[in-house]
Amino acid sequence: METRLLRYFVAVAEERHFGRAAERLHMAQPPLSQQIKQLEEQLGTKLFIRTTRKVDLTPAGELLLTRARALLEEHTQLARDVRTVGDGASGVLRLGSTGSATYRIMPKVIAATTEHMPGLQLNVQGEMLTPEMEEALAEGRLDIAILRPPVHNDEVEYSLLEKDLLAVALPAGHRLASHEVVDIHELRTENFICYPATSAVNTIFVETCRSAGFIPHTAQIARETSTLLTFVAAGLGIGMVPTSNYLPHSERIIFRPLRNAPSVDLAVAWKLGNQSPLVQNFLKLCTNLAPEEGHSE
């Protein structure tokens, strides 16, 4: 049964008049009558009772009117949904994120997605390290990643979202907690709670310490930022974290800026050549969140 015939039928059924229905459909009356006759022949039953004064629906016509309206609405919605997905405004996007992005940029990203891409479902995999996300992007297991450069995989592109600086997380009562700013040289005898060696933040942190003339002592390794801060709060050591974590997570943790702190930027990354409308629209959304000095690489 063609949707075209159903539209003709609904017009006649609602107007109860072939002439008015033909005007509504922008067509002549004789072809409309022929189309309705064709529909009745296909269904093998009369749909209208025709008199010289009016057109009424048969019981079969009443049933068809109810079903036809629903079918036409579903057909319209289907076309709308397909067009929306094709335009990249709807679908499922697999998003990986570094744990330290959770505290500032991810709420912005999710809020913007909800407002501008309400049909998009985000499948978020958090607390991932940059090398993991690079590999997942290159292999197609992630569509987008919020990570910390540098990026070493030639199949991955990225664009800066935020410029962060390294800061110090201290347990409450630490000797440096009263300092407004901490100098890296003051940390040479400290025990550190560190991210894994492959972490971009850890690489930058270790290089900063070496430039200051010492190698940091690792007391504990924590893969997740939340775990790192838990160890700090327990007094097992101090941590070096991006300033996006510069928040009062606990009264047992004190955050202090690091003098001449190195940059630990945050970026959105995707697989080279990925032209998916969904991915491209999401990247545009992220670009609107980025500072004007953001760059692409």
Side-chain angles (χ1 to χ4, degrees), residues 176-219:
L176 298 175
S178 61
H179 291 208
E180 291 187 6
V181 180
V182 174
D183 192 288
I184 187 67
H185 294 91
E186 298 177 284
L187 305 177
R188 66 172 58 244
T189 61
E190 295 290 334
N191 292 323
F192 288 92
I193 311 299
C194 298
Y195 291 108
T198 54
S199 162
V201 172
N202 185 76
T203 300
I204 295 170
F205 154 62
V206 171
E207 182 58 36
T208 300
C209 292
R210 285 178 175 170
S211 296
F214 71 96
I215 297 176
H217 177 260
T218 301

Side-chain angles (χ1 to χ4, degrees), residues 166-168 181-184 187 208 240 256-262:
L166 212 57
V168 187
V181 180
V182 174
D183 192 288
I184 187 67
L187 305 177
T208 300
M240 302 294 285
R256 289 292 180 262
L258 186 67
R259 193 183 310 278
N260 300 320

Side-chain angles (χ1 to χ4, degrees), residues 63-251:
L63 173 63
L64 181 60
L65 178 59
T66 300
R67 298 284 182 85
R69 283 170 170 163
L71 286 170
L72 290 174
E73 175 58 32
E74 182 177 348
H75 181 270
T76 300
Q77 186 61 48
L78 175 60
R80 188 182 300 121
D81 290 345
V82 169
R83 185 165 53 252
T84 298
V85 171
D87 290 341
S90 180
V92 178
L93 190 143
R94 299 163 299 171
L95 172 64
S97 171
T98 177
S100 53
T102 303
Y103 303 94
R104 190 164 71 200
I105 190 64
M106 283 301 290
K108 292 181 183 179
V109 169
I110 292 173
T113 300
T114 302
E115 179 180 358
H116 300 291
M117 300 176 70
L120 176 63
Q121 177 184 335
L122 285 178
N123 183 349
V124 180
Q125 300 178 46
E127 301 285 5
M128 296 182 72
L129 301 178
T130 291
E132 287 181 294
M133 289 186 276
E134 288 183 55
E135 182 178 347
L137 287 170
E139 294 179 356
R141 290 182 283 111
L142 285 179
D143 302 305
I144 295 287
I146 306 296
L147 49 71
R148 293 194 181 277
V151 171
H152 301 291
N153 194 309
D154 293 338
E155 295 185 67
V156 175
E157 293 184 280
Y158 74 91
S159 180
L160 189 67
L161 287 177
E162 287 188 348
K163 282 187 171 295
D164 267 346
L165 298 174
L166 212 57
V168 187
L170 305 165
H174 191 277
R175 62 184 178 85
L176 298 175
S178 61
H179 291 208
E180 291 187 6
V181 180
V182 174
D183 192 288
I184 187 67
H185 294 91
E186 298 177 284
L187 305 177
R188 66 172 58 244
T189 61
E190 295 290 334
N191 292 323
F192 288 92
I193 311 299
C194 298
Y195 291 108
T198 54
S199 162
V201 172
N202 185 76
T203 300
I204 295 170
F205 154 62
V206 171
E207 182 58 36
T208 300
C209 292
R210 285 178 175 170
S211 296
F214 71 96
I215 297 176
H217 177 260
T218 301
Q220 187 77 40
I221 293 176
R223 175 185 171 86
E224 299 86 9
T225 298
S226 56
T227 303
L228 186 153
L229 294 175
T230 297
F231 285 144
V232 171
L236 299 184
I238 69 173
M240 302 294 285
V241 294
T243 51
S244 57
N245 292 311
Y246 203 95
L247 298 170
H249 298 285
S250 166
E251 60 183 13

Side-chain angles (χ1 to χ4, degrees), residues 5-25:
L5 293 179
L6 289 180
R7 289 193 183 94
Y8 292 163
F9 165 76
V10 170
V12 176
E14 290 180 346
E15 296 293 341
R16 292 296 203 274
H17 191 281
F18 276 86
R20 289 194 298 270
E23 291 179 6
R24 171 174 157 180
L25 294 167

